[in-house]
Amino acid sequence: MKKAEVKKGKKKNVLKEYWPLYLMMLPALLYLLINNYIPMAGMVIAFKKLNFAKGIWASPWAGLKNFKFLFASKDAWIITRNTLLYNVAFILVNMVVGIAIAILITEVRNTKLKKIYQSAILLPFLMSMVILSYIVYALLSAENGLVNNSILPLFHIDPIQWYQKPKYWPAVLIIANCWKGIGYGCLIYIASLIGIDPSFYEAARLDGASKWQEITKITLPSLVPTIITLLLLSIGRIFYSDFGLFYQVPMNSGVLFPTTNVIDTYVYRALIEQGNISMSSAAGVYQSLVGFCVVMLSNWIVRRVDKDQALF
C-alpha cells in the first residue's frame, strides 16, 4: 500500500511541476485530434457508394468495389510503376545532393556567407509549385525557352519540343523536385553536422587525415541516424506523389502521361470525369495502408541491422 501511495504522490507532483508544459502542449494535441484523427472516420467513404442526399453513414455499402478502379484499369501498372520509381529516385537524389550541399555549407568559414547560402537553398522549398511550373516552362518552352534558344544552339542541337517528348520528363521532374525540395532536408543535415564534436576532426587532423577521410570516417557515420530517420519518413509516403509537381509542371499535357501520370493525378482526373468521391477515398486508403506497411517493414529491417537506429 505504501508503494502505491508513493507512486500516486509522484504522479501528482509531476503534474503540478510540469503543468505549464502540458498546457503549452494542449493546442498542438487539439490540432492533431481535430485535423488528423477525427477525419479518419471518413475512411468509411472508401467502402460505401456515397449518396450526398443520404449522407455518409446512411449511404449503402459497396464493399471493395471502389478499390477496383485502381487495379482494373489498363493504366494501373503504369501509374504504380511511375509512382514508385519517381519516389525512389527522389529519395536517393535528394539524400545524396542534400548531404553534399550540407557538407559544403558547413565548410564555409564566413558566418554571413553561410547564412546567405542556407537561405538560398531553402528559398525554392517555400516557393509555390505553380511558380516552379512557369520557371520550367520559361526554360523548356519550344518558342521562347532558354534551353532551346540559348543552350542547345551552342552544341549545334536542333530545338526540342519538350512538352511533346515523354522520354525527357523523368530527368526534368527529378531535377525540378531536387531543386525545390532539397532545402528542407539540407537544413536538417546541417543541424546534425553542427552537433558533431569538433574534437573528432582535430584528432583526425593530428593523425594526418585528409578532408575526404574526415568526411568518410567522421561526418558520414555521424549522419547515419539522421539519414535513417529521414529515409523511413520518406518511405512512408512512397505511394504518394506531389500532385503539383506531376500536374502543374508538365502543364497537364496528355502526350506526357506515360511518364508523368501517377496515382494522385490519375485519381484526380478520374474524380473530375466521374465525380466519384468514394473511388478517390479508396485510393487514399490504399496509399496510406501500403505506406504504413512499408514503414513497418523498413523499420523492422533497420532493427535487425542496428536496434539503436530504428524509429521504434
Side-chain angles (χ1 to χ4, degrees):
M1 291 294 292
K2 289 183 179 180
K3 288 183 179 180
E5 290 175 0
V6 170
K7 287 182 178 179
K8 287 182 180 180
K10 286 183 178 180
K11 288 182 179 179
K12 288 181 179 180
N13 291 333
V14 168
L15 290 174
K16 286 182 179 180
E17 185 178 355
Y18 296 107
W19 71 266
L21 298 178
Y22 291 124
L23 191 63
M24 291 171 63
M25 187 172 61
L26 184 61
L29 291 177
L30 288 174
Y31 171 79
L32 286 174
L33 178 66
I34 295 170
N35 192 70
N36 293 65
Y37 287 97
I38 293 178
M40 287 179 69
M43 288 174 60
V44 72
I45 296 173
F47 304 95
K48 289 201 168 193
K49 187 177 181 181
L50 184 62
N51 186 322
F52 289 101
K54 295 180 179 180
I56 295 175
W57 306 109
S59 297
W61 289 95
L64 298 176
K65 290 182 180 179
N66 292 323
F67 291 85
K68 287 183 179 179
F69 95 107
L70 269 178
F71 306 104
S73 167
K74 62 179 181 180
D75 298 321
W77 160 247
I78 294 174
I79 61 175
T80 303
R81 177 203 66 189
N82 288 349
T83 303
L84 282 173
L85 293 181
Y86 273 121
N87 280 324
V88 170
F90 292 162
I91 291 170
L92 294 177
V93 171
N94 288 8
M95 180 178 66
V96 173
V97 178
I99 292 172
I101 293 177
I103 292 172
L104 291 173
I105 290 176
T106 52
E107 290 297 322
V108 176
R109 300 305 175 195
N110 190 308
T111 307
K112 291 183 180 179
L113 284 177
K114 186 180 291 188
K115 290 181 179 179
I116 291 173
Y117 295 148
Q118 289 177 3
S119 302
I121 198 69
L122 185 63
L123 183 62
F125 180 76
L126 306 175
M127 191 179 294
S128 167
M129 194 60 72
V130 177
I131 296 174
L132 176 63
S133 69
Y134 280 103
I135 291 174
V136 174
Y137 183 76
L139 293 171
L140 303 181
S141 173
E143 297 177 357
N144 303 313
L146 177 67
V147 175
N148 278 351
N149 289 314
S150 300
I151 298 176
L152 294 184
L154 296 175
F155 300 96
H156 306 288
I157 300 174
D158 294 331
I160 298 172
Q161 299 291 328
W162 297 98
Y163 288 88
Q164 303 296 323
K165 303 289 185 181
K167 64 180 181 179
Y168 297 113
W169 279 87
V172 172
L173 291 174
I174 290 170
I175 293 170
N177 178 78
C178 181
W179 181 78
K180 186 180 187 302
I182 197 175
Y184 176 76
C186 188
L187 289 184
I188 295 177
Y189 291 129
I190 290 172
S192 299
L193 290 171
I194 292 172
I196 300 174
D197 191 346
S199 62
F200 294 157
Y201 294 103
E202 293 172 3
R205 292 189 195 101
L206 289 173
D207 290 338
S210 63
K211 180 59 66 176
W212 178 250
Q213 288 174 324
E214 290 179 15
I215 292 172
T216 55
K217 303 299 182 182
I218 300 174
T219 304
L220 293 180
S222 300
L223 285 177
V224 167
T226 305
I227 293 171
I228 291 175
T229 301
L230 293 179
L231 184 61
L232 290 176
L233 292 175
S234 299
I235 286 174
R237 296 189 61 82
I238 200 166
F239 263 78
Y240 285 87
S241 50
D242 191 328
F243 175 80
L245 178 68
F246 290 96
Y247 187 82
Q248 295 285 355
V249 175
M251 297 293 182
N252 196 27
S253 175
V255 180
L256 304 179
F257 282 179
T259 54
T260 61
N261 203 13
V262 290
I263 294 176
D264 293 78
T265 55
Y266 177 80
V267 171
Y268 172 77
R269 293 183 182 108
L271 180 62
I272 292 298
E273 292 174 4
Q274 302 177 19
N276 194 326
I277 293 179
S278 296
M279 287 183 179
S280 60
S281 178
V285 171
Y286 164 70
Q287 289 173 301
S288 299
L289 289 176
V290 172
F292 174 77
C293 294
V294 172
V295 168
M296 296 298 291
L297 177 62
S298 303
N299 190 73
W300 178 79
I301 294 172
V302 172
R303 284 183 66 87
R304 297 279 296 186
V305 176
D306 188 350
K307 187 176 181 181
D308 295 333
Q309 304 296 344
L311 284 179
F312 47 85

PDB file of all heavy atoms in Angstrom, residues 186-213:
ATOM      1  N   CYS A 186      18.328  19.468 -46.382  1.00  0.00           N
ATOM      2  CA  CYS A 186      19.674  20.017 -46.266  1.00  0.00           C
ATOM      3  C   CYS A 186      19.866  20.729 -44.923  1.00  0.00           C
ATOM      4  O   CYS A 186      20.902  20.577 -44.271  1.00  0.00           O
ATOM      5  CB  CYS A 186      19.939  20.974 -47.417  1.00  0.00           C
ATOM      6  SG  CYS A 186      21.638  21.548 -47.518  1.00  0.00           S
ATOM      7  N   LEU A 187      18.871  21.490 -44.486  1.00  0.00           N
ATOM      8  CA  LEU A 187      18.973  22.192 -43.205  1.00  0.00           C
ATOM      9  C   LEU A 187      19.009  21.211 -42.034  1.00  0.00           C
ATOM     10  O   LEU A 187      19.682  21.455 -41.028  1.00  0.00           O
ATOM     11  CB  LEU A 187      17.805  23.160 -43.043  1.00  0.00           C
ATOM     12  CG  LEU A 187      17.823  24.401 -43.938  1.00  0.00           C
ATOM     13  CD1 LEU A 187      16.670  25.314 -43.595  1.00  0.00           C
ATOM     14  CD2 LEU A 187      19.144  25.151 -43.819  1.00  0.00           C
ATOM     15  N   ILE A 188      18.288  20.108 -42.163  1.00  0.00           N
ATOM     16  CA  ILE A 188      18.329  19.081 -41.105  1.00  0.00           C
ATOM     17  C   ILE A 188      19.715  18.452 -41.042  1.00  0.00           C
ATOM     18  O   ILE A 188      20.262  18.231 -39.947  1.00  0.00           O
ATOM     19  CB  ILE A 188      17.253  18.002 -41.366  1.00  0.00           C
ATOM     20  CG1 ILE A 188      15.862  18.622 -41.257  1.00  0.00           C
ATOM     21  CG2 ILE A 188      17.401  16.846 -40.372  1.00  0.00           C
ATOM     22  CD1 ILE A 188      14.733  17.671 -41.576  1.00  0.00           C
ATOM     23  N   TYR A 189      20.305  18.183 -42.204  1.00  0.00           N
ATOM     24  CA  TYR A 189      21.667  17.638 -42.225  1.00  0.00           C
ATOM     25  C   TYR A 189      22.669  18.640 -41.643  1.00  0.00           C
ATOM     26  O   TYR A 189      23.592  18.252 -40.925  1.00  0.00           O
ATOM     27  CB  TYR A 189      22.069  17.265 -43.648  1.00  0.00           C
ATOM     28  CG  TYR A 189      21.324  16.076 -44.207  1.00  0.00           C
ATOM     29  CD1 TYR A 189      20.689  16.144 -45.452  1.00  0.00           C
ATOM     30  CD2 TYR A 189      21.247  14.880 -43.498  1.00  0.00           C
ATOM     31  CE1 TYR A 189      20.008  15.058 -45.964  1.00  0.00           C
ATOM     32  CE2 TYR A 189      20.560  13.793 -44.007  1.00  0.00           C
ATOM     33  CZ  TYR A 189      19.942  13.888 -45.242  1.00  0.00           C
ATOM     34  OH  TYR A 189      19.266  12.813 -45.736  1.00  0.00           O
ATOM     35  N   ILE A 190      22.474  19.922 -41.957  1.00  0.00           N
ATOM     36  CA  ILE A 190      23.367  20.952 -41.410  1.00  0.00           C
ATOM     37  C   ILE A 190      23.273  20.985 -39.889  1.00  0.00           C
ATOM     38  O   ILE A 190      24.286  21.088 -39.187  1.00  0.00           O
ATOM     39  CB  ILE A 190      23.030  22.337 -42.013  1.00  0.00           C
ATOM     40  CG1 ILE A 190      23.443  22.377 -43.487  1.00  0.00           C
ATOM     41  CG2 ILE A 190      23.738  23.451 -41.253  1.00  0.00           C
ATOM     42  CD1 ILE A 190      22.988  23.627 -44.217  1.00  0.00           C
ATOM     43  N   ALA A 191      22.048  20.896 -39.367  1.00  0.00           N
ATOM     44  CA  ALA A 191      21.865  20.883 -37.906  1.00  0.00           C
ATOM     45  C   ALA A 191      22.573  19.686 -37.275  1.00  0.00           C
ATOM     46  O   ALA A 191      23.168  19.799 -36.189  1.00  0.00           O
ATOM     47  CB  ALA A 191      20.378  20.865 -37.579  1.00  0.00           C
ATOM     48  N   SER A 192      22.528  18.543 -37.942  1.00  0.00           N
ATOM     49  CA  SER A 192      23.212  17.349 -37.433  1.00  0.00           C
ATOM     50  C   SER A 192      24.731  17.519 -37.492  1.00  0.00           C
ATOM     51  O   SER A 192      25.449  17.103 -36.574  1.00  0.00           O
ATOM     52  CB  SER A 192      22.802  16.118 -38.235  1.00  0.00           C
ATOM     53  OG  SER A 192      21.419  15.887 -38.136  1.00  0.00           O
ATOM     54  N   LEU A 193      25.213  18.139 -38.568  1.00  0.00           N
ATOM     55  CA  LEU A 193      26.655  18.351 -38.716  1.00  0.00           C
ATOM     56  C   LEU A 193      27.190  19.304 -37.650  1.00  0.00           C
ATOM     57  O   LEU A 193      28.302  19.121 -37.149  1.00  0.00           O
ATOM     58  CB  LEU A 193      26.960  18.903 -40.112  1.00  0.00           C
ATOM     59  CG  LEU A 193      26.772  17.931 -41.276  1.00  0.00           C
ATOM     60  CD1 LEU A 193      26.894  18.656 -42.610  1.00  0.00           C
ATOM     61  CD2 LEU A 193      27.786  16.800 -41.198  1.00  0.00           C
ATOM     62  N   ILE A 194      26.398  20.312 -37.318  1.00  0.00           N
ATOM     63  CA  ILE A 194      26.832  21.269 -36.288  1.00  0.00           C
ATOM     64  C   ILE A 194      26.988  20.575 -34.943  1.00  0.00           C
ATOM     65  O   ILE A 194      27.818  20.953 -34.113  1.00  0.00           O
ATOM     66  CB  ILE A 194      25.822  22.442 -36.196  1.00  0.00           C
ATOM     67  CG1 ILE A 194      25.886  23.270 -37.482  1.00  0.00           C
ATOM     68  CG2 ILE A 194      26.100  23.323 -34.990  1.00  0.00           C
ATOM     69  CD1 ILE A 194      24.820  24.332 -37.582  1.00  0.00           C
ATOM     70  N   GLY A 195      26.181  19.529 -34.723  1.00  0.00           N
ATOM     71  CA  GLY A 195      26.223  18.821 -33.445  1.00  0.00           C
ATOM     72  C   GLY A 195      27.374  17.841 -33.295  1.00  0.00           C
ATOM     73  O   GLY A 195      27.553  17.254 -32.219  1.00  0.00           O
ATOM     74  N   ILE A 196      28.172  17.639 -34.340  1.00  0.00           N
ATOM     75  CA  ILE A 196      29.313  16.720 -34.251  1.00  0.00           C
ATOM     76  C   ILE A 196      30.429  17.378 -33.435  1.00  0.00           C
ATOM     77  O   ILE A 196      30.768  18.545 -33.650  1.00  0.00           O
ATOM     78  CB  ILE A 196      29.825  16.344 -35.652  1.00  0.00           C
ATOM     79  CG1 ILE A 196      28.722  15.653 -36.455  1.00  0.00           C
ATOM     80  CG2 ILE A 196      31.043  15.430 -35.558  1.00  0.00           C
ATOM     81  CD1 ILE A 196      29.093  15.367 -37.899  1.00  0.00           C
ATOM     82  N   ASP A 197      30.997  16.640 -32.526  1.00  0.00           N
ATOM     83  CA  ASP A 197      32.067  17.155 -31.658  1.00  0.00           C
ATOM     84  C   ASP A 197      33.291  17.548 -32.497  1.00  0.00           C
ATOM     85  O   ASP A 197      33.869  16.709 -33.198  1.00  0.00           O
ATOM     86  CB  ASP A 197      32.447  16.077 -30.642  1.00  0.00           C
ATOM     87  CG  ASP A 197      33.352  16.615 -29.538  1.00  0.00           C
ATOM     88  OD1 ASP A 197      33.891  17.732 -29.706  1.00  0.00           O
ATOM     89  OD2 ASP A 197      33.500  15.931 -28.515  1.00  0.00           O
ATOM     90  N   PRO A 198      33.717  18.821 -32.457  1.00  0.00           N
ATOM     91  CA  PRO A 198      34.890  19.272 -33.242  1.00  0.00           C
ATOM     92  C   PRO A 198      36.185  18.556 -32.878  1.00  0.00           C
ATOM     93  O   PRO A 198      37.118  18.508 -33.688  1.00  0.00           O
ATOM     94  CB  PRO A 198      34.989  20.763 -32.900  1.00  0.00           C
ATOM     95  CG  PRO A 198      33.645  21.150 -32.388  1.00  0.00           C
ATOM     96  CD  PRO A 198      33.099  19.930 -31.720  1.00  0.00           C
ATOM     97  N   SER A 199      36.232  17.988 -31.662  1.00  0.00           N
ATOM     98  CA  SER A 199      37.466  17.309 -31.247  1.00  0.00           C
ATOM     99  C   SER A 199      37.749  16.080 -32.122  1.00  0.00           C
ATOM    100  O   SER A 199      38.908  15.683 -32.269  1.00  0.00           O
ATOM    101  CB  SER A 199      37.367  16.888 -29.774  1.00  0.00           C
ATOM    102  OG  SER A 199      36.315  15.964 -29.574  1.00  0.00           O
ATOM    103  N   PHE A 200      36.706  15.493 -32.705  1.00  0.00           N
ATOM    104  CA  PHE A 200      36.912  14.358 -33.609  1.00  0.00           C
ATOM    105  C   PHE A 200      37.743  14.778 -34.821  1.00  0.00           C
ATOM    106  O   PHE A 200      38.667  14.078 -35.237  1.00  0.00           O
ATOM    107  CB  PHE A 200      35.568  13.796 -34.082  1.00  0.00           C
ATOM    108  CG  PHE A 200      34.748  13.164 -32.990  1.00  0.00           C
ATOM    109  CD1 PHE A 200      33.375  13.046 -33.120  1.00  0.00           C
ATOM    110  CD2 PHE A 200      35.348  12.676 -31.838  1.00  0.00           C
ATOM    111  CE1 PHE A 200      32.618  12.452 -32.117  1.00  0.00           C
ATOM    112  CE2 PHE A 200      34.602  12.089 -30.828  1.00  0.00           C
ATOM    113  CZ  PHE A 200      33.228  11.978 -30.978  1.00  0.00           C
ATOM    114  N   TYR A 201      37.401  15.946 -35.389  1.00  0.00           N
ATOM    115  CA  TYR A 201      38.120  16.445 -36.563  1.00  0.00           C
ATOM    116  C   TYR A 201      39.541  16.870 -36.195  1.00  0.00           C
ATOM    117  O   TYR A 201      40.487  16.655 -36.968  1.00  0.00           O
ATOM    118  CB  TYR A 201      37.368  17.629 -37.177  1.00  0.00           C
ATOM    119  CG  TYR A 201      36.027  17.249 -37.747  1.00  0.00           C
ATOM    120  CD1 TYR A 201      34.856  17.534 -37.063  1.00  0.00           C
ATOM    121  CD2 TYR A 201      35.930  16.609 -38.978  1.00  0.00           C
ATOM    122  CE1 TYR A 201      33.616  17.194 -37.586  1.00  0.00           C
ATOM    123  CE2 TYR A 201      34.695  16.259 -39.512  1.00  0.00           C
ATOM    124  CZ  TYR A 201      33.546  16.555 -38.805  1.00  0.00           C
ATOM    125  OH  TYR A 201      32.326  16.208 -39.328  1.00  0.00           O
ATOM    126  N   GLU A 202      39.698  17.461 -35.000  1.00  0.00           N
ATOM    127  CA  GLU A 202      41.024  17.875 -34.552  1.00  0.00           C
ATOM    128  C   GLU A 202      41.938  16.672 -34.388  1.00  0.00           C
ATOM    129  O   GLU A 202      43.114  16.688 -34.799  1.00  0.00           O
ATOM    130  CB  GLU A 202      40.912  18.639 -33.234  1.00  0.00           C
ATOM    131  CG  GLU A 202      40.197  19.989 -33.375  1.00  0.00           C
ATOM    132  CD  GLU A 202      39.935  20.638 -32.029  1.00  0.00           C
ATOM    133  OE1 GLU A 202      40.351  20.065 -30.993  1.00  0.00           O
ATOM    134  OE2 GLU A 202      39.304  21.716 -31.996  1.00  0.00           O
ATOM    135  N   ALA A 203      41.391  15.606 -33.797  1.00  0.00           N
ATOM    136  CA  ALA A 203      42.183  14.386 -33.621  1.00  0.00           C
ATOM    137  C   ALA A 203      42.547  13.768 -34.972  1.00  0.00           C
ATOM    138  O   ALA A 203      43.668  13.279 -35.160  1.00  0.00           O
ATOM    139  CB  ALA A 203      41.403  13.386 -32.777  1.00  0.00           C
ATOM    140  N   ALA A 204      41.597  13.820 -35.921  1.00  0.00           N
ATOM    141  CA  ALA A 204      41.860  13.260 -37.251  1.00  0.00           C
ATOM    142  C   ALA A 204      42.958  14.049 -37.970  1.00  0.00           C
ATOM    143  O   ALA A 204      43.824  13.463 -38.628  1.00  0.00           O
ATOM    144  CB  ALA A 204      40.574  13.272 -38.076  1.00  0.00           C
ATOM    145  N   ARG A 205      42.931  15.382 -37.824  1.00  0.00           N
ATOM    146  CA  ARG A 205      43.959  16.205 -38.472  1.00  0.00           C
ATOM    147  C   ARG A 205      45.338  15.939 -37.874  1.00  0.00           C
ATOM    148  O   ARG A 205      46.347  15.913 -38.586  1.00  0.00           O
ATOM    149  CB  ARG A 205      43.604  17.687 -38.327  1.00  0.00           C
ATOM    150  CG  ARG A 205      42.367  18.100 -39.125  1.00  0.00           C
ATOM    151  CD  ARG A 205      42.183  19.602 -39.134  1.00  0.00           C
ATOM    152  NE  ARG A 205      40.845  19.962 -39.585  1.00  0.00           N
ATOM    153  CZ  ARG A 205      39.852  20.306 -38.775  1.00  0.00           C
ATOM    154  NH1 ARG A 205      40.056  20.354 -37.454  1.00  0.00           N
ATOM    155  NH2 ARG A 205      38.665  20.618 -39.256  1.00  0.00           N
ATOM    156  N   LEU A 206      45.379  15.741 -36.559  1.00  0.00           N
ATOM    157  CA  LEU A 206      46.656  15.434 -35.912  1.00  0.00           C
ATOM    158  C   LEU A 206      47.223  14.104 -36.403  1.00  0.00           C
ATOM    159  O   LEU A 206      48.444  13.923 -36.471  1.00  0.00           O
ATOM    160  CB  LEU A 206      46.472  15.382 -34.390  1.00  0.00           C
ATOM    161  CG  LEU A 206      46.219  16.732 -33.691  1.00  0.00           C
ATOM    162  CD1 LEU A 206      45.889  16.517 -32.220  1.00  0.00           C
ATOM    163  CD2 LEU A 206      47.437  17.645 -33.830  1.00  0.00           C
ATOM    164  N   ASP A 207      46.322  13.198 -36.768  1.00  0.00           N
ATOM    165  CA  ASP A 207      46.760  11.897 -37.286  1.00  0.00           C
ATOM    166  C   ASP A 207      47.063  11.943 -38.778  1.00  0.00           C
ATOM    167  O   ASP A 207      47.393  10.910 -39.377  1.00  0.00           O
ATOM    168  CB  ASP A 207      45.677  10.838 -37.024  1.00  0.00           C
ATOM    169  CG  ASP A 207      45.561  10.496 -35.548  1.00  0.00           C
ATOM    170  OD1 ASP A 207      46.542  10.740 -34.820  1.00  0.00           O
ATOM    171  OD2 ASP A 207      44.499  10.002 -35.122  1.00  0.00           O
ATOM    172  N   GLY A 208      46.903  13.127 -39.382  1.00  0.00           N
ATOM    173  CA  GLY A 208      47.244  13.285 -40.791  1.00  0.00           C
ATOM    174  C   GLY A 208      46.130  12.923 -41.757  1.00  0.00           C
ATOM    175  O   GLY A 208      46.388  12.661 -42.936  1.00  0.00           O
ATOM    176  N   ALA A 209      44.881  12.922 -41.289  1.00  0.00           N
ATOM    177  CA  ALA A 209      43.757  12.565 -42.160  1.00  0.00           C
ATOM    178  C   ALA A 209      43.486  13.681 -43.159  1.00  0.00           C
ATOM    179  O   ALA A 209      43.582  14.864 -42.836  1.00  0.00           O
ATOM    180  CB  ALA A 209      42.511  12.298 -41.322  1.00  0.00           C
ATOM    181  N   SER A 210      43.132  13.300 -44.375  1.00  0.00           N
ATOM    182  CA  SER A 210      42.760  14.280 -45.402  1.00  0.00           C
ATOM    183  C   SER A 210      41.304  14.701 -45.196  1.00  0.00           C
ATOM    184  O   SER A 210      40.570  14.103 -44.402  1.00  0.00           O
ATOM    185  CB  SER A 210      42.932  13.675 -46.790  1.00  0.00           C
ATOM    186  OG  SER A 210      42.050  12.569 -46.956  1.00  0.00           O
ATOM    187  N   LYS A 211      40.869  15.730 -45.932  1.00  0.00           N
ATOM    188  CA  LYS A 211      39.485  16.200 -45.818  1.00  0.00           C
ATOM    189  C   LYS A 211      38.505  15.109 -46.234  1.00  0.00           C
ATOM    190  O   LYS A 211      37.454  14.935 -45.612  1.00  0.00           O
ATOM    191  CB  LYS A 211      39.295  17.445 -46.692  1.00  0.00           C
ATOM    192  CG  LYS A 211      37.886  18.039 -46.651  1.00  0.00           C
ATOM    193  CD  LYS A 211      37.475  18.456 -45.246  1.00  0.00           C
ATOM    194  CE  LYS A 211      38.302  19.609 -44.726  1.00  0.00           C
ATOM    195  NZ  LYS A 211      37.844  20.068 -43.395  1.00  0.00           N
ATOM    196  N   TRP A 212      38.846  14.367 -47.286  1.00  0.00           N
ATOM    197  CA  TRP A 212      37.978  13.277 -47.730  1.00  0.00           C
ATOM    198  C   TRP A 212      37.864  12.193 -46.660  1.00  0.00           C
ATOM    199  O   TRP A 212      36.787  11.634 -46.443  1.00  0.00           O
ATOM    200  CB  TRP A 212      38.502  12.691 -49.029  1.00  0.00           C
ATOM    201  CG  TRP A 212      37.701  11.526 -49.550  1.00  0.00           C
ATOM    202  CD1 TRP A 212      38.078  10.229 -49.594  1.00  0.00           C
ATOM    203  CD2 TRP A 212      36.372  11.578 -50.070  1.00  0.00           C
ATOM    204  NE1 TRP A 212      37.081   9.454 -50.123  1.00  0.00           N
ATOM    205  CE2 TRP A 212      36.019  10.254 -50.423  1.00  0.00           C
ATOM    206  CE3 TRP A 212      35.450  12.608 -50.285  1.00  0.00           C
ATOM    207  CZ2 TRP A 212      34.786   9.941 -50.973  1.00  0.00           C
ATOM    208  CZ3 TRP A 212      34.211  12.292 -50.834  1.00  0.00           C
ATOM    209  CH2 TRP A 212      33.891  10.977 -51.167  1.00  0.00           C
ATOM    210  N   GLN A 213      38.962  11.880 -45.986  1.00  0.00           N
ATOM    211  CA  GLN A 213      38.928  10.883 -44.909  1.00  0.00           C
ATOM    212  C   GLN A 213      38.090  11.370 -43.724  1.00  0.00           C
ATOM    213  O   GLN A 213      37.400  10.585 -43.073  1.00  0.00           O
ATOM    214  CB  GLN A 213      40.353  10.556 -44.460  1.00  0.00           C
ATOM    215  CG  GLN A 213      41.142   9.739 -45.476  1.00  0.00           C
ATOM    216  CD  GLN A 213      42.585   9.549 -45.072  1.00  0.00           C
ATOM    217  OE1 GLN A 213      43.208  10.447 -44.497  1.00  0.00           O
ATOM    218  NE2 GLN A 213      43.142   8.383 -45.387  1.00  0.00           N
TER     219      GLN A 213
END
